[in-house]
Amino acid sequence: MDAQTDSKSAELTPGDIIAVLKQYRLLLVGTWIFCTVIAVVAALLATPVYRAEAQVAAAAESSAAGGDLSSLINRFSSVPGMGSIGRLSQRDTLTESLVTLRSPTFLINFINSNNLKPLLFAKLWDAENQEWLVEDAAEIPTDEDAYVFFREELLSVTESKASPGIITIAIEWHDRKQAAAWVNSLIAMLNERLRSVAIEEANRTIEYLNKELEKARIVEVRQAIFFMIENQINSRTVANVREEYALKVLSEAVAPDADHYISPNRSFMVLIGFLIGLIL
């Protein structure tokens, strides 16, 4: 009976709670204001991150070249001796472009060509003395570190669901002008890389086809080879004269306005600080 009486006496009534709140009102209000002020300061000091993007699509000429070659191979597929030549069909241009864009070799080459490591790892770089601020050389960011950071944190490549074949290449970075410049440079470098590859492949294919032509005795096979040589010459010509060989730029990247950043969400940060202070 005494235990029940003590338990009831230990329960707080609404009046007791109000009395406690009044007694510690300065602490409560101070905690709430402190958390809110910290959130406001953090929101104002946070570095804005901007998004620059460009829209691209597969260049019609390079895609058509592959289609022409494939149709020729299909046309003469029943002719003896055409099996080995059939393996020369051109890869899908858009798929090849996107795979190349995301590849370590291409991105590391882009990063090193533009000397981006000091920018990507600015906290570890002494710009004045042009040296890394590390005690051990093993702590210097490697090519792999730069590649992973660039691909995972900065670069995004997405295909439009509404318009399949339209690709958006974007970079998110705190310098809006650099972000736009990097996107445009990436696309230009990718086109140049695939242009060079296409020219080299066309030259090798023409050389191979000429050897096959010397060995061919069937008229239909010789005719097919002549067609394919002509097709490869056309493809090489397109690659030599067209800068946008693989990807055609539909909308190039431009630097967003200074107040058009994607993060931080300053209003949300202040609201969170307000609520945390209120809860505490």
Side-chain angles (χ1 to χ4, degrees):
M1 185 67 178
D2 292 338
Q4 294 179 353
T5 303
D6 293 340
S7 177
K8 290 182 179 179
S9 62
E11 294 179 357
L12 290 176
T13 64
D16 294 332
I17 296 177
I18 293 175
V20 171
L21 292 177
K22 287 183 178 180
Q23 181 180 356
Y24 294 99
R25 63 184 181 276
L26 294 180
L27 177 61
L28 296 174
V29 173
T31 301
W32 168 62
I33 293 177
F34 175 77
C35 291
T36 303
V37 170
I38 290 297
V40 171
V41 172
L44 294 176
L45 295 180
T47 303
V49 175
Y50 300 90
R51 178 183 174 90
E53 60 184 33
Q55 280 73 45
V56 299
E61 285 79 358
S62 57
S63 299
D68 291 342
L69 182 57
S70 297
S71 64
L72 285 171
I73 292 172
N74 291 333
R75 176 181 174 185
F76 295 99
S77 59
S78 60
V79 178
M82 292 299 295
S84 59
I85 299 175
R87 291 192 292 270
L88 299 173
S89 58
Q90 187 174 6
R91 297 181 300 274
D92 177 75
T93 302
L94 187 58
T95 301
E96 180 185 9
S97 301
L98 298 184
V99 170
T100 303
L101 176 60
R102 297 188 180 100
S103 67
T105 303
F106 177 78
L107 287 180
I108 288 174
N109 187 27
F110 176 80
I111 291 169
N112 290 333
S113 298
N114 293 277
N115 193 27
L116 299 186
K117 281 186 186 177
L119 296 177
L120 300 180
F121 304 99
K123 293 181 180 180
L124 300 177
W125 177 254
D126 184 352
E128 183 177 352
N129 298 316
Q130 296 291 298
E131 61 182 12
W132 293 103
L133 300 174
V134 295
E135 297 180 357
D136 188 349
E139 298 177 0
I140 297 177
T142 63
D143 288 346
E144 179 70 16
D145 295 331
Y147 161 72
V148 172
F149 180 77
F150 191 91
R151 175 171 173 172
E152 300 297 331
E153 302 296 333
L154 275 66
L155 178 66
S156 67
V157 181
T158 56
E159 183 173 6
S160 172
K161 294 181 179 179
S163 302
I166 305 299
I167 306 298
T168 298
I169 301 175
I171 287 180
E172 297 178 1
W173 186 241
H174 59 77
D175 188 317
R176 55 197 180 91
K177 294 182 180 180
Q178 280 183 340
W182 290 350
V183 171
N184 294 328
S185 295
L186 265 177
I187 298 172
M189 184 173 177
L190 181 60
N191 270 321
E192 181 59 32
R193 166 73 178 275
L194 295 177
R195 249 178 18 112
S196 299
V197 171
I199 293 172
E200 292 177 4
E201 289 184 349
N203 288 333
R204 289 198 301 266
T205 302
I206 292 173
E207 181 180 357
Y208 170 79
L209 290 174
N210 281 326
K211 292 179 180 179
E212 291 295 313
L213 184 61
E214 294 177 358
K215 297 184 296 183
R217 294 294 178 266
I218 302 176
V219 176
E220 289 82 357
V221 173
R222 293 179 62 84
Q223 183 181 5
I225 294 176
F226 277 126
F227 272 120
M228 284 188 284
I229 291 176
E230 181 182 0
N231 181 271
Q232 290 300 309
I233 292 175
N234 291 337
S235 297
R236 185 177 60 184
T237 302
V238 170
N240 276 309
V241 302
R242 186 176 179 83
E243 293 184 0
E244 295 183 349
Y245 171 74
L247 295 178
K248 180 177 179 59
V249 178
L250 305 179
S251 174
E252 69 175 8
V254 296
D257 293 338
D259 58 343
H260 289 172
Y261 48 83
I262 61 171
S263 68
N265 189 331
R266 293 193 166 102
S267 300
F268 182 74
M269 292 176 65
V270 172
L271 177 61
I272 292 298
F274 176 88
L275 293 176
I276 291 176
L278 191 62
I279 292 172
L280 290 177

